[in-house]
Amino acid sequence: MKKLLFAALLAASFTGTTAQTTSWTADNGNGTFTNPLFYDEFSDPDVIRVGDDYYLAGTTMHSVPGLVVLHSKDLVNWEFASYCFDRFDFPEDRFALKNHQEIYGQGIWAPCIRYANGQFYIFSNVNGKGLQCYTSEKIEGPWTHHNMQGNIYDLGVLFDDDGKIYAIHGYGTVKCTELKADMSGPIEGTERVIIPDGNGVGEGHHMYKIGGMYYLISTDYSPNGRTLCSRSKSIWGPYETRVITADETYGYHAASLTQVPRGTKYRIGEDGTKFGLGSLDKDATACTNAHQGGIVQATDGSWWALFMQDFHSIGRTVCLMPMTWEDGWPMVGLKGNLGRAPRTWFKPGVPSVAVPQQQAQQAPHAPYLRSDNFDYKNSPSTPLTPIWQWNHNPEEKMWSLKNGRLRLNAMPAEQLMWARNTLTQRVIGPRSVATVELYTKAMKDGDVCGLGNINVPCSWIGIVKEGKNLTLRCFEQLTNDTVSVPVGLPDGKIWLRMIGDYDHDQAQYAYSTDGVTFQPVGRMMPLSYQLITFQGSRHALFAFNIKGKTGGYAEFDNFTVEEPCADRSANIPYGKTIRIINKATGRPAIALKHGVLYDTHAGDKSQLTHFLVIDRGMGRVALQCADGRYVKVYGNGLPGDVRFTDTSDSTTVRTTDDINSTDFLWQDYLDHDFMLLSLTNHRYLGKSPTTGSPYSMDFTGPDPARRNGAVLTWELVDTP
């Protein structure tokens, strides 16, 4: 199914007819949301609420502007608020990609956002520079930079009731250090160990004081990813620790990681023969599960975690997870299924039994406008839209906005990863198509200009000028392979395109000389996540000169990003009759006359394998068999507890506070994959692929490979 869908996307891309331009938003428009919050990279999230407003800060590594902050009114729909700084204000060459110095995999990361004393504080670390703090009275800025120095990173900060400020930091051995109130640095002599090594506690700390108790949320990856909470009556301990979530991958296995041969000193500038892709274990959780992030209490009193998860070549992004307090512990998940969290759930402030039309909902919207025609004011000082970031500090005199186009001057570089003034934005999944118009008339000998993927290994498609000749070239660093195509560009204009299936780590380049018909170039490239730059794939507009000189320039216009999966309105087959296929076995479910839900052979298309999907409002469904019976959960959801009832009142939307045991919350996993969550015990419908037992409602969630029996897929039944 997925291969066919991507093939259709490729075909549409080559004819210039891609899908609508709606951008991914988690909000389903019916009182529910579906993770991830963003289908593009947003790592190391930290969240706070100030009054009725929520603020989310995230890592930006080597990219500038840096330290991003988003704003929300409902924890689901977010909008850009500000960056803490436009450029790194450190003079070293490595911050500007000069003289073969770089900060890939470094830069600024793991922020902590807090509000106290009438202003916002964002703490973070810059490699080699120590602890940094940015303060502002307004979330929009301007922000004041405080270089606090000190060996404190990946930290949580608590402004305590007595006015003291504590930074919690360290891996394994967790330390607490007091900070000076003027943000000039740590207070010397205050560092103490509060959790000794050997307690299974990791890093990425987030400290809270709730009801007089200190709670420390941390993440650990040894030997496998999980998130923990440590609590104490004193900031200095002693602490007791409990795992609050583990193995929540939402059915995404660990990605293939970029490999560098052992003993090789990694260099960005080395060719593709130095890179490989690691083995792929689809059953592995590894460290890709939901982990590291902040927690927050919503305006309605409910608690939520915003944790990051590795989403393959997209990078790390954010999932919104409901929390349940149990025995004084903030557990991720819902009563009856703690430690796991639904992919689709009800928005904060929206009860699961509410009537949709009674809920005042914010209109769903994405945090960024990704497409850009560069029609800004004709001024070099005009800021770009916030989706764009430079790869390291740019050379300001070597780029401009001219007559509705972006102009990049070519500076010397031997390859893309060393090219200065490369403008980037994050790719967006699960599938998307990025296209840009490139103008080549001002290029000079040795110039290389085009559209690339900033990742390790990198790739690009573009125009190379050698003497007076122009050549279309596609380069893939993984294989150190170059494909060249002679092109005639009498108008000096060409369209370049990248078609990405990021959930499945593959992409294809294409080009057009008329903007209508596109031709593929190079192979379908495998993509990876990697811990070299600690970023996912990024679209890149670039211009550099391979002959060691300053060349001409390239101009870019009408950069568009199209997302064929962003509109999910038809993903639930309301009012349609379907067959339900178990992903683990490939066998359809059948409503046995005996009264239980079982499976049958793959070719069975009898009436008892047909189920009508009844819309119960707010993403809830009831399933009616062709003989009129309804699927219903009895007892504790053990095997055989999924049976049938003749009750017919499931056809109406609930208007009372009781929860009908024929109601399920549909979990959309895209491409016809789905799960069914019971609103009675917060577990999932599934059938073991090995035991022979009938269906139960006792599955805690999907496994990374989606083959434990809880993930289903649907196909329409041809009805007369």
Side-chain angles (χ1 to χ4, degrees):
M1 172 68 74
K2 295 179 178 65
K3 290 183 178 179
L4 292 175
L5 288 170
F6 189 51
L9 175 62
L10 282 173
S13 299
F14 295 151
T15 59
T17 55
T18 48
Q20 43 64 47
T21 57
T22 300
S23 190
W24 176 278
T25 173
D27 196 331
N28 294 315
N30 60 2
T32 69
F33 68 91
T34 295
N35 282 311
L37 281 185
F38 323 116
Y39 229 116
D40 61 334
E41 185 173 66
F42 195 105
S43 57
D44 303 321
D46 193 27
V47 63
I48 59 171
R49 177 171 67 87
V50 180
D52 294 335
D53 297 281
Y54 304 93
Y55 302 103
L56 184 69
T59 285
T60 50
M61 301 303 289
H62 59 272
S63 304
V64 292
L67 274 192
V68 65
V69 186
L70 304 182
H71 165 255
S72 176
K73 282 288 189 180
D74 62 4
L75 283 175
V76 174
N77 294 282
W78 295 84
E79 59 192 10
F80 174 80
S82 64
Y83 287 109
C84 287
F85 58 90
D86 290 331
R87 307 290 185 266
F88 289 106
D89 54 2
F90 303 110
E92 289 89 344
D93 286 350
R94 60 194 179 99
F95 292 98
L97 209 59
K98 293 181 180 179
N99 299 319
H100 273 214
Q101 302 295 311
E102 39 83 8
I103 54 169
Y104 287 117
Q106 301 178 62
I108 194 161
W109 46 277
C112 171
I113 183 171
R114 291 294 180 263
Y115 183 79
N117 307 315
Q119 65 178 347
F120 294 93
Y121 297 78
I122 299 183
F123 301 86
S124 195
N125 170 75
V126 173
N127 294 77
K129 295 294 182 179
L131 180 61
Q132 312 296 311
C133 180
Y134 297 84
T135 58
S136 175
E137 293 183 358
K138 298 180 179 180
I139 200 67
E140 300 83 6
W143 294 85
T144 300
H145 181 198
H146 310 265
N147 189 345
M148 302 179 69
Q149 304 180 5
N151 188 28
I152 296 176
Y153 57 90
D154 217 1
L155 76 160
V157 175
L158 177 73
F159 288 77
D160 211 342
D161 302 332
D162 59 4
K164 292 184 177 181
I165 309 170
Y166 299 102
I168 295 82
H169 54 104
Y171 176 78
T173 300
V174 182
K175 304 173 184 178
C176 179
T177 303
E178 285 190 55
L179 303 179
K180 296 178 181 178
D182 63 358
M183 299 297 116
S184 60
I187 299 177
E188 294 183 7
T190 61
E191 182 179 294
R192 288 170 54 183
V193 173
I194 60 173
I195 302 178
D197 195 16
N199 284 278
V201 177
E203 59 187 5
H205 306 297
H206 299 256
M207 177 63 83
Y208 306 91
K209 191 174 185 180
I210 304 169
M213 184 77 74
Y214 294 89
Y215 291 89
L216 179 64
I217 308 296
S218 308
T219 191
D220 190 30
Y221 55 81
S222 180
N224 215 55
R226 63 196 186 283
T227 299
L228 311 97
C229 178
S230 304
R231 70 180 186 183
S232 174
K233 294 180 180 179
S234 168
I235 189 74
W236 304 110
Y239 285 84
E240 54 180 331
T241 299
R242 177 178 291 189
V243 175
I244 61 172
T245 182
D247 295 325
E248 187 53 83
T249 67
Y250 292 109
Y252 289 83
H253 55 75
S256 175
L257 293 177
T258 299
Q259 303 290 314
V260 180
R262 186 175 299 174
T264 299
K265 184 178 180 181
Y266 172 71
R267 290 277 295 173
I268 288 290
E270 291 181 351
D271 63 32
T273 60
K274 301 296 183 183
F275 300 108
L277 297 184
S279 59
L280 184 64
D281 184 354
K282 291 187 176 182
D283 294 305
T285 302
C287 301
T288 64
N289 58 298
H291 65 289
Q292 186 158 342
I295 67 173
V296 67
Q297 186 176 25
T299 54
D300 67 343
S302 60
W303 282 85
W304 299 81
L306 286 90
F307 289 168
M308 71 179 181
Q309 182 182 336
D310 293 8
F311 265 71
H312 293 194
S313 54
I314 290 167
R316 292 167 166 170
T317 190
V318 183
C319 293
L320 178 63
M321 311 170 78
M323 305 189 80
T324 300
W325 283 85
E326 181 177 83
D327 299 329
W329 293 95
M331 301 294 295
V332 168
L334 303 164
K335 185 178 180 180
N337 193 8
L338 299 179
R340 305 294 294 270
R343 183 169 188 179
T344 298
W345 189 240
F346 302 96
K347 294 171 58 177
V350 179
S352 60
V353 293
V355 181
Q357 54 267 33
Q358 292 181 350
Q359 298 300 318
Q361 299 296 324
Q362 185 176 8
H365 64 268
Y368 297 101
L369 179 64
R370 302 178 188 280
S371 299
D372 196 343
N373 60 14
F374 301 109
D375 288 339
Y376 314 136
K377 295 178 182 178
N378 293 325
S379 168
S381 63
T382 301
L384 295 158
T385 58
I387 188 63
W388 293 110
Q389 292 176 287
W390 296 100
N391 181 18
H392 293 67
N393 283 353
E395 185 70 43
E396 297 294 349
K397 294 181 180 180
M398 300 298 285
W399 75 275
S400 59
L401 295 165
K402 298 284 188 180
N403 301 318
R405 297 177 188 170
L406 170 71
R407 179 178 295 184
L408 298 180
N409 294 73
M411 290 181 282
E414 67 262 32
Q415 63 115 309
L416 174 60
M417 298 297 284
W418 288 112
R420 302 183 62 200
N421 281 18
T422 296
L423 190 63
T424 74
Q425 66 167 264
R426 302 170 300 280
V427 303
I428 187 165
R431 292 183 284 273
S432 59
V433 179
T435 307
V436 70
E437 297 174 12
L438 172 64
Y439 293 82
T440 65
K441 283 189 174 182
M443 292 176 63
K444 293 183 179 180
D445 181 38
D447 286 354
V448 182
C449 310
L451 171 68
N453 176 22
I454 292 285
N455 203 336
V456 181
C458 68
S459 63
W460 53 264
I461 184 174
I463 294 295
V464 179
K465 188 164 188 178
E466 299 170 299
K468 296 183 179 181
N469 298 320
L470 296 178
T471 301
L472 178 77
R473 187 163 295 166
C474 182
F475 172 73
E476 184 183 356
Q477 192 181 36
L478 176 64
T479 56
N480 197 26
D481 186 35
T482 298
V483 176
S484 297
V485 179
V487 290
L489 303 176
D491 296 327
K493 181 180 178 180
I494 191 170
W495 287 259
L496 304 176
R497 176 169 284 181
M498 182 174 173
I499 309 113
D501 180 2
Y502 301 106
D503 263 8
H504 301 97
D505 298 324
Q506 56 184 348
Q508 172 78 64
Y509 285 118
Y511 77 97
S512 173
T513 56
D514 61 7
V516 177
T517 302
F518 283 78
Q519 302 294 328
V521 183
R523 67 168 181 159
M524 181 77 69
M525 300 173 294
L527 303 175
S528 72
Y529 182 61
Q530 38 78 32
L531 303 180
I532 298 171
T533 68
F534 280 92
Q535 287 187 333
S537 297
R538 298 175 76 91
H539 296 306
L541 305 181
F542 65 87
F544 61 93
N545 187 283
I546 57 175
K547 295 192 174 181
K549 60 186 180 181
T550 299
Y553 61 83
E555 290 186 331
F556 299 85
D557 200 1
N558 296 323
F559 181 89
T560 61
V561 179
E562 297 173 284
E563 304 174 47
C565 301
D567 183 358
R568 303 190 303 281
S569 60
N571 285 16
I572 304 178
Y574 294 123
K576 297 179 181 179
T577 301
I578 63 172
R579 296 170 76 236
I580 298 172
I581 314 298
N582 195 298
K583 292 276 289 184
T585 63
R587 296 177 179 176
I590 186 170
L592 295 180
K593 289 292 187 181
H594 184 57
V596 297
L597 187 66
Y598 202 58
D599 62 6
T600 182
H601 61 85
D604 190 350
K605 297 186 178 182
S606 64
Q607 288 290 306
L608 295 184
T609 67
H610 297 179
F611 296 89
L612 175 65
V613 179
I614 299 172
D615 183 2
R616 303 274 282 113
M618 299 176 66
R620 298 168 301 182
V621 301
L623 299 177
Q624 185 180 29
C625 186
D627 63 6
R629 294 177 296 163
Y630 293 84
V631 179
K632 184 175 181 178
V633 180
Y634 292 81
N636 294 316
L638 297 174
D641 273 350
V642 180
R643 300 182 216 158
F644 295 88
T645 176
D646 292 330
T647 303
S648 60
D649 64 359
S650 296
T651 57
T652 58
V653 173
R654 303 302 293 175
T655 58
T656 60
D657 289 340
D658 63 311
I659 299 175
N660 197 316
S661 55
T662 59
D663 284 0
F664 305 97
L665 186 63
W666 188 284
Q667 308 286 298
D668 181 17
Y669 275 70
L670 310 179
D671 300 337
H672 288 208
D673 284 4
F674 71 103
M675 294 175 64
L676 292 173
L677 175 68
S678 170
L679 295 176
T680 59
N681 68 356
H682 298 137
R683 297 205 172 200
Y684 301 93
L685 179 74
K687 184 187 185 304
S688 167
T690 58
T691 65
S693 295
Y695 272 85
S696 73
M697 209 75 209
D698 197 39
F699 283 72
T700 58
D703 66 333
R706 305 187 187 183
R707 53 191 178 200
N708 67 335
V711 181
L712 314 169
T713 190
W714 60 271
E715 61 181 34
L716 287 177
V717 171
D718 294 328
T719 55

